Amino acid sequence: MNPEANERGSLGRIQPMSHALDIPAIDRDVSFAEYGRSAQSPCAGLQVSQTLMPAVAETSTEAPTGFQRSNPGPTPVSSYQLRRVGMAGASSKPQILPKKKAPGVDFFGVDEYYYIIRSDLGCYMRSTNFHEGKDLEVFTLHNSCRGGDHYLAHEDDFFYIIRGNDYRRVTNLNKDYGAKVSKLHPKCRGGDYYLSSFGHFYIIFQSKGIYRKVKHLDTAEGAVDYHLHAKCKNGLYYWGRKDSYYFLKPVDKWGVQYYRTTNFQANSNAVTYSVHANVVNFLPGGLGITHGSSFGRWEAIKSISNDLDSPITWNKTITKKVGYEKEKMSTIKNNWKVSMSTSAEAGGLTAAITQYQFSVSTEFGGSQVNTEQEQWSEATEVAESISVTLKPKEKMYVWQYQLGLGKEAVLFCRSIKLTKTSKPPTEIPLPPSKPPK
């Protein structure tokens, strides 16, 4: 059945709190009345093995503008959850990144399969049912098939990778078999989305509210334009299979959903389906929905006090956890069959997905920070030597920066700071992530 047969109107051819925070990981105070005296120094100062500088918190009890304080608790140490861009509203719901903000990400379908391309991660997912999360398998994307602007598959048993004004046609995305490069016809260039269905190729010009049907991408044979139905204009990603069109809807109160129709102009036989959580985990920004928005915060890992009437120098080795909670985050891959080319690729998949989540903006449940230089191997205890001189009756706090999803920390950063009050540092010790081009 030709879905355009009955279509008409063708366009023609061509927040702060006053309570303290509960931080279970903090050691009890180290008092020099108990610890004993070391060599005294007439001047207060500090030395830390990783060239750490003292960070003296302000005495104000108000949370810094643009930062959100953690839940109150009984201990005398406070903490703020830091975000690089404003504060996420309590009722806001993280979104999935649309195609225009997620280079290298695309959807397509062919035969009984649906595909999600994550060229940015060097892999793709295949499934027989996004709604039920069936037959989820992840493969390595061949190097020659990465970096595409658009991906689609056609009934001719070929996959198409569009980059600029060219397209690469292959029979296997994992092996790059049968590769052939051709030019897009001028009428087939500049589309926002490309898909294949009903034996034709379709090019969506979303901002114009139209889509174009052609028989071949290199000749634009049979080119005809049609209006998109109002309900089919706001998709985040579009794809097709043999006898249906699909698009991923913006996240609303019902969560992540996709839409199926047999006619983009008439919106015929329209049905909406929810996307299974195991599929959402693979989407750009998906962890913000399944695990909760990311956060960054300073956690107090030790406090030191001098209860004596004279200065004291404290020298000690402290331990801190550094690295990624790999085992905890392995649930991301629930019901995935990971068929990556190397064990290193398979083992680093969840870390790559988590790292991506931290890099996106708050709108998509991220923290907009670059964590590439942090330790992404399994979290371990690391020893660090600290030497600090305290004045009489002075107290210091040792803080470590952590990133997490929802309520749980999953990345323990190398950065530590010392403050002279129980107010944590306010700076974010990680560089901002670069927005996609």
Side-chain angles (χ1 to χ4, degrees):
M1 172 183 176
N2 185 336
E4 272 72 39
N6 297 319
E7 295 191 5
R8 305 187 185 281
S10 167
L11 297 180
R13 296 187 183 276
I14 222 31
Q15 153 156 196
M17 301 180 182
S18 59
H19 304 289
L21 172 75
D22 178 19
I23 303 182
I26 188 171
D27 293 349
R28 70 182 181 89
D29 291 356
V30 179
S31 168
F32 281 98
E34 305 173 59
Y35 179 73
R37 300 183 59 173
S38 300
Q40 297 184 14
S41 170
C43 300
L46 73 92
Q47 294 178 328
V48 182
S49 61
Q50 291 186 347
T51 319
L52 300 172
M53 299 299 294
V56 182
E58 297 178 3
T59 57
S60 169
T61 58
E62 293 296 314
T65 301
F67 296 97
Q68 180 182 6
R69 195 168 183 175
S70 305
N71 293 331
T75 72
V77 181
S78 59
S79 173
Y80 294 111
Q81 290 189 3
L82 311 181
R83 288 190 171 89
R84 196 171 288 282
V85 182
M87 294 171 55
S91 60
S92 64
K93 189 181 290 290
Q95 291 289 320
I96 296 298
L97 275 82
K99 181 173 175 56
K100 62 184 178 182
K101 292 189 176 183
V105 181
D106 212 345
F107 284 61
F108 64 85
V110 68
D111 298 328
E112 73 271 28
Y113 292 111
Y114 300 91
Y115 292 80
I116 302 172
I117 298 290
R118 291 298 304 266
S119 177
D120 57 320
L121 303 181
C123 60
Y124 61 96
M125 172 180 279
R126 188 180 71 182
S127 172
T128 57
N129 192 310
F130 282 163
H131 174 58
E132 298 178 8
K134 281 187 174 181
D135 305 310
L136 302 177
E137 190 164 6
V138 179
F139 302 89
T140 298
L141 187 63
H142 191 278
N143 285 333
S144 296
C145 298
R146 299 181 188 182
D149 301 322
H150 307 278
Y151 292 80
L152 64 152
H154 193 52
E155 63 183 20
D156 58 2
D157 295 326
F158 285 101
F159 299 100
Y160 291 74
I161 304 115
I162 297 173
R163 188 185 301 170
N165 294 330
D166 302 319
Y167 66 89
R168 185 184 188 88
R169 193 181 71 175
V170 300
T171 59
N172 187 303
L173 292 170
N174 180 244
K175 303 294 184 182
D176 193 45
Y177 289 156
K180 180 182 178 182
V181 176
S182 302
K183 287 284 186 183
L184 286 171
H185 187 277
K187 290 183 179 180
C188 298
R189 298 173 185 176
D192 297 309
Y193 306 91
Y194 291 75
L195 59 96
S196 171
S197 187
F198 296 99
H200 287 77
F201 294 96
Y202 294 85
I203 307 157
I204 296 176
F205 301 90
Q206 194 170 30
S207 61
K208 297 178 181 179
I210 64 172
Y211 64 103
R212 179 170 298 159
K213 181 181 74 172
V214 299
K215 186 65 177 178
H216 301 290
L217 292 173
D218 57 346
T219 65
E221 177 187 343
V224 185
D225 289 359
Y226 301 93
H227 287 286
L228 281 168
H229 189 277
K231 291 186 178 181
C232 300
K233 288 183 176 181
N234 66 339
L236 305 179
Y237 298 86
Y238 289 80
W239 69 98
R241 291 207 301 179
K242 184 177 181 180
D243 55 3
S244 298
Y245 309 130
Y246 301 81
F247 64 86
L248 191 71
K249 300 178 65 176
V251 179
D252 60 17
K253 64 181 180 180
W254 305 114
V256 183
Q257 301 178 103
Y258 65 100
Y259 195 87
R260 186 187 74 185
T261 179
T262 56
N263 189 306
F264 272 150
Q265 179 166 278
N267 193 34
S268 305
N269 306 307
V271 185
T272 298
Y273 300 93
S274 61
V275 180
H276 196 281
N278 290 336
V279 177
V280 175
N281 283 336
F282 194 71
L283 302 182
L287 295 187
I289 295 170
T290 59
H291 289 67
S293 293
S294 71
F295 63 83
R297 67 186 178 207
W298 289 99
E299 287 289 333
I301 57 176
K302 184 174 286 292
S303 63
I304 311 161
S305 63
N306 179 11
D307 297 334
L308 304 177
D309 295 325
S310 57
I312 194 76
T313 298
W314 186 80
N315 298 284
K316 195 171 182 181
T317 298
I318 65 169
T319 59
K320 62 180 182 179
K321 182 185 286 188
V322 175
Y324 171 60
E325 293 281 21
K326 185 176 179 180
E327 184 175 350
K328 180 186 296 184
M329 293 304 293
S330 64
T331 58
I332 292 175
K333 298 188 296 183
N334 275 357
N335 299 321
W336 295 4
K337 179 182 178 183
V338 180
S339 302
M340 307 286 279
S341 298
T342 67
S343 57
E345 286 180 322
L349 182 58
T350 62
I353 293 172
T354 306
Q355 186 178 116
Y356 183 94
Q357 187 65 46
F358 290 147
S359 74
V360 302
S361 67
T362 55
E363 178 186 358
F364 306 106
S367 296
Q368 205 167 340
V369 292
N370 185 327
T371 58
E372 291 177 0
Q373 299 306 312
E374 294 301 315
Q375 181 173 310
W376 281 94
S377 54
E378 185 69 54
T380 58
E381 296 290 333
V382 176
E384 183 166 335
S385 298
I386 292 181
S387 176
V388 57
T389 299
L390 288 86
K391 296 177 181 178
K393 310 303 181 182
E394 187 175 43
K395 193 169 187 176
M396 281 197 173
Y397 298 84
V398 183
W399 304 85
Q400 180 187 25
Y401 198 69
Q402 302 174 2
L403 287 167
L405 295 168
K407 297 180 180 180
E408 294 197 54
V410 298
L411 182 65
F412 299 86
C413 301
R414 297 184 179 92
S415 293
I416 66 171
K417 295 284 185 181
L418 280 76
T419 66
K420 292 182 178 180
T421 75
S422 59
K423 298 285 284 185
T426 58
E427 70 269 30
I428 297 174
L430 299 169
S433 57
K434 295 180 181 179
K437 297 180 180 180

